[in-house]
Amino acid sequence: MGNYYQPEIETMPVEQLQKLQSERLVEQVKFVYDNVKFYHEKMDEKGVKPEDIKGIEDLHKLPFITKDDLRDQYPYGLLGVPLSECVRIQSTSGTTGRRVVAFYTQADLDVWEDCCARAIMAAGGTKEDVVHVCYGYGLFTGGPGLNGGSHRVGCLTLPMSSGNTERQLQFMEDLGSTILCCTPSYAANLGETITEKGLKDKIKLKAGIFGAEPWTEEMRHNIEETLGIKAYDIYGLTEISGPGVSFECEEQAGMHIQEDHFIPEIINPDTGEVLPEGEVGELVFTCITKKAFPLLRYRTRDLCYLTRKKCSCGRTHIRMHKPTGRSDDMMVVKGVNVWPSQIEAVLLKQGFQANYQIVVDRLGNNDTIEVQVELTPEMVAANDKTVAQREKEIVAGLKSMLGIKVDVKVVDPKTIVRSEGKAVRVVDKRNLYQ
Ligand code: DLL
C-alpha cells in the first residue's frame, strides 16, 4: 500500500503547503543542477545558480523548458538518475511527430500511483469499488496510471484497456463495475450503446473519472444522464507523470492540483510573463519530487486559469479550470482563432451529442471549414425539425460564437467514426499543401 491517503497534506493550510513546496523546490533545483547537464547549462546561460532559488518566490528566475527541448534531448538527455535506477518508460502518442519518452524510478511510480489513488478517492472510491479501466494500456499513461491508483485504494481493478465495446459492457454488467475510467468521448460512446441496448438498469456504475482530452460541461451533463453517474474530470500529461496531476472533488468546480508534487504557474504564452491568479494563460509545471525525469517550469501549452478560492471539500490545493484547449490546438481559420471546444459547446447546447468532426481545407487562397454532426436518435424519433432547419440553427450559433460562417452538414446517426481513446475532432487538410 502506498501513502496516498494523506488528508493532512491535501487539507494543509496554504502557508504550510507553500513552505513544503519551497523546501522541496530548493532541494530539487540543486538535484537537477547537479545531475542534468542540460539544466546546468541552461541555468548558467541565464546566470541562475541553485543558491539563488530560496523558495517558491524565486521560481520565476528559472528558465522554461518546452516540448522542443524534450525532443532535442531525446532519449536520455534529461535523465536525473542513472538509467539503471529507472524501472519504466511511458510515452505520448506522437501524432504530431513529437514523441516524448518519460522515465520513472520506482519512487516516481509510487508518487504517480498515489496521485491517481487520491483522484479515485475524491470520486468516492473505496476498497468496495470495482474500477473499470478502459483507458489504453501500454505506452499511454491512462491505463497504467488509473490501474495503479485503483490497486492502491484496494479496489477490484478491471484492466480492460480500450475498444471492444461489447466486451466492456458484458464485464461491466457481470462484474458490477462501479467506477468507470476512460476518455470522455469513449464514455459518451459507451453511454450511447447502453441506451441503444436498453442496458441502463443492469449497469451499477456510480462515478466516472474522465480525462486525457478537453470536454465541455454540456458533455458532462450528457454523460451523467446517459450513464446515471457523477462524472469527474482528471488531468495530467506524460511529461509530468500521467493522469492525476490534478483531479476534481465532489464540487466538480475545477481540478485540485497535487501541489505537494507539482507547482503550477500561468504565463502569457507570448511573453512568458507570469500572470496573476484568475487570468487565463498557458499552464506551466515544476515537478518537485520526481527524480528520473525532473522537469522544471515545463510549458504544457494547455490554456486555463487557477483559483485558490476555498473549496467546500476541505482540500486546500489550488484548482485549475478545465483546459479550454491547447494553444497549439487552436486553428486559425479565415483569420480567426477557432478552438474545437467552442464548436462543441454550440453543438451540445443545441441538443446534439459529441459525435462530430471538423474539416478544414483551403480552396485557392481561402480557408473552408465544415462541421459534420450526427443527428441523435431522439431527434430522429421526434422528427420535429428538418435537417435543413437544424443546419441553419447551427450555422447561426457558430456565427455568433466564432464570428465566421461555418458550413454545416447534419448526418445520420452512427455515420461518424467513434473513438475508443482520444477523439480525433479535427481533420485539417491544409497541412497537406505545406
Ligand atoms: O492524456 C494523461 C491522462 C490520461 C490524463 C488519462 C487524464 C486521463 P498525454 O497523452 O501526454 O497524457 O496528453 C496530455 O492531454 O497536455 C492536455 O492537452 C490533454 N488533457 C489531459 N487531460 C485533460 C483534461 C494524458 N482533463 C494532454 N482536460 C494535456 C483537457 C486534457 N485536456
Side-chain angles (χ1 to χ4, degrees):
M1 273 302 242
N3 54 350
Y4 63 88
Y5 185 63
Q6 295 173 310
E8 70 286 2
I9 287 189
E10 291 190 77
T11 60
M12 191 180 250
V14 174
E15 310 77 66
Q16 215 178 316
L17 178 65
Q18 291 180 334
K19 189 165 165 276
L20 175 73
Q21 287 182 319
S22 286
E23 286 163 9
R24 289 184 171 177
L25 176 67
V26 169
E27 206 177 290
Q28 181 79 344
V29 170
K30 187 169 178 332
F31 168 79
V32 165
Y33 188 80
D34 291 345
N35 291 286
V36 185
K37 185 163 160 266
F38 169 83
Y39 274 112
H40 195 107
E41 290 175 358
K42 229 172 156 157
M43 283 172 64
D44 283 355
E45 246 169 58
K46 229 185 158 213
V48 195
K49 293 277 170 230
E51 48 277 20
D52 297 331
I53 308 299
K54 299 196 170 64
I56 51 173
E57 65 284 1
D58 296 322
L59 190 57
H60 68 98
K61 296 180 182 163
L62 292 168
F64 290 116
I65 174 165
T66 63
K67 204 158 191 169
D68 283 339
D69 292 323
L70 302 196
R71 204 174 36 173
D72 293 346
Q73 296 305 314
Y74 173 87
Y76 298 133
L78 289 166
L79 277 189
V81 296
L83 197 56
S84 57
E85 296 300 308
C86 297
V87 297
R88 172 94 70 80
I89 66 149
Q90 301 288 159
S91 176
T92 58
S93 59
T95 44
T96 50
R98 294 175 164 212
R99 180 172 287 286
V100 169
V101 173
F103 295 81
Y104 303 76
T105 62
Q106 184 57 51
D108 295 338
L109 283 183
D110 289 342
V111 165
W112 176 29
E113 293 184 353
D114 286 347
C115 287
C116 290
R118 285 184 188 170
I120 291 170
M121 292 190 73
T126 68
K127 67 187 290 295
E128 306 304 323
D129 279 295
V130 179
V131 175
H132 190 111
V133 186
C134 39
Y135 284 114
Y137 280 66
L139 289 171
F140 180 54
T141 54
L146 271 309
N147 194 95
S150 172
H151 276 210
R152 279 180 189 243
V153 181
C155 310
L156 175 65
T157 310
L158 276 50
M160 300 299 301
S161 199
S162 55
N164 201 338
T165 300
E166 293 281 320
R167 190 178 61 189
Q168 302 279 4
L169 296 178
Q170 192 66 56
F171 271 80
M172 209 177 267
E173 191 182 328
D174 294 348
L175 298 181
S177 308
T178 53
I179 299 182
L180 174 64
C181 304
C182 59
T183 56
S185 48
Y186 193 53
N189 183 349
L190 284 169
E192 194 177 44
T193 313
I194 286 172
T195 308
E196 254 170 39
K197 295 190 182 289
L199 292 175
K200 194 168 169 187
D201 291 344
K202 300 203 168 122
I203 300 294
K204 295 207 179 66
L205 289 177
K206 63 174 191 189
I209 304 179
F210 306 131
E213 61 186 5
W215 50 310
T216 53
E217 280 305 316
E218 287 84 353
M219 192 160 168
R220 188 205 305 265
H221 294 143
N222 276 342
I223 293 173
E224 289 191 330
E225 204 153 291
T226 47
L227 289 175
I229 60 170
K230 191 154 170 167
Y232 296 83
D233 204 350
I234 183 167
Y235 168 91
L237 57 167
T238 314
E239 300 89 308
I240 304 297
S241 67
V245 171
S246 67
F247 60 82
E248 274 185 339
C249 63
E250 67 266 21
E251 283 305 302
Q252 296 175 306
M255 294 177 272
H256 290 281
I257 295 174
Q258 311 223 29
E259 284 191 279
D260 49 330
H261 300 295
F262 316 109
I263 305 179
E265 294 171 277
I266 295 287
I267 62 162
N268 175 326
D270 300 323
T271 64
E273 176 206 355
V274 178
L275 299 176
E277 183 186 328
E279 278 193 36
V280 175
E282 182 179 341
L283 183 58
V284 171
F285 280 113
T286 295
C287 305
I288 46 178
T289 49
K290 222 151 69 93
K291 294 293 188 250
F293 202 62
L295 303 188
L296 304 179
R297 298 198 92 200
Y298 179 64
R299 294 184 58 159
T300 65
R301 298 268 158 212
D302 291 321
L303 300 173
C304 69
Y305 66 87
L306 303 178
T307 175
R308 209 176 269 289
K309 265 198 210 131
K310 200 162 183 264
C311 184
S312 66
C313 77
R315 287 179 185 80
T316 48
H317 292 199
I318 203 162
R319 278 172 290 163
M320 57 181 270
H321 191 264
K322 245 178 202 316
T324 46
R326 296 171 57 82
S327 57
D328 51 5
D329 254 7
M330 187 190 76
M331 305 174 279
V332 180
V333 183
K334 302 182 185 184
V336 169
N337 297 349
V338 176
W339 276 274
S341 56
Q342 294 175 302
I343 294 177
E344 183 174 308
V346 169
L347 297 175
L348 276 96
K349 210 166 254 165
Q350 299 196 9
F352 290 89
Q353 291 186 343
N355 297 316
Y356 68 92
Q357 196 151 54
I358 304 163
V359 183
V360 185
D361 207 343
R362 182 158 286 162
L363 206 64
N365 286 326
N366 299 318
D367 291 334
T368 61
I369 173 165
E370 183 182 84
V371 173
Q372 298 169 2
V373 59
E374 281 182 9
L375 282 169
T376 65
E378 294 75 29
M379 289 171 177
V380 174
N383 196 19
D384 55 345
K385 285 181 190 169
T386 64
V387 161
Q389 268 172 321
R390 292 196 185 278
E391 287 174 346
K392 215 168 138 200
E393 286 172 7
I394 302 173
V395 171
L398 291 174
K399 176 87 203 238
S400 100
M401 169 72 92
L402 306 171
I404 54 171
K405 161 93 171 39
V406 174
D407 296 319
V408 173
K409 204 188 229 171
V410 171
V411 297
D412 286 337
K414 295 264 169 192
T415 44
I416 291 175
V417 166
R418 295 291 183 272
S419 105
E420 293 173 347
K422 298 193 193 221
V424 181
R425 303 288 192 205
V426 181
V427 182
D428 193 341
K429 297 185 176 168
R430 295 175 300 179
N431 295 337
L432 301 176
Y433 305 117
Q434 285 172 358

